Amino acid sequence: MANVPYPGHVRTGQILSGQIDLSELASMGMAVGTAFDTITEGDALYASRTTPNYYARALATGTGTMPVIGVAMATAASGAGVRVMTAPGRKQYSGYNFSGFLGQEVYISPATRGALEVNTTTVSGNYVQVVGYVDTFDTVYFRPTMVLQRGGPLY
């Protein structure tokens, strides 16, 4: 990765000009793909099982929209390119509001596609996946477990 100024730092122009190979991004915990629907920065995403390199907003109500494998690094329209953080790390986003929940587990919402919340679902048939922890009121330490449980907290 001779063209990378320091690990984990890549300029968009380097990707577009071909200076950075997409396989190098994967080694840094980033993926580049296509948005399957409208994605907002900070959304929790799953990877399409039928179309390679397509990502959409996760939802805890079914296996077709789970598991969470990454977080959107920027907003993307449906059909546009999207950058996805896939490795453990901190994601700050002004749309997060986890005041008073420092250190709490963060789950994927069963009600709003892509949303993260500190309350887990207890509805039978919904899936529970810990996707990280509250680091500050507007920052999540993203580290998804690949353990899915149906209809209740992970106890």
Side-chain angles (χ1 to χ4, degrees), residues 92-105:
Q92 182 181 23
Y93 170 55
S94 61
Y96 294 151
N97 184 6
F98 296 114
S99 295
F101 295 102
L102 181 65
Q104 296 288 316
E105 292 178 333

Side-chain angles (χ1 to χ4, degrees), residues 26-87:
S27 70
M28 291 184 277
M30 296 291 289
V32 176
T34 303
F36 202 70
D37 61 2
T38 300
I39 292 171
T40 300
E41 178 184 353
D43 280 348
L45 305 176
Y46 73 95
S48 170
R49 291 176 182 79
T50 57
T51 309
N53 298 316
Y54 270 71
Y55 299 91
R57 295 171 296 155
L59 190 65
T61 57
T63 57
T65 58
M66 295 286 285
V68 171
I69 57 88
V71 174
M73 297 302 289
T75 297
S78 182
V82 62
R83 290 179 301 130
V84 183
M85 180 175 79
T86 58

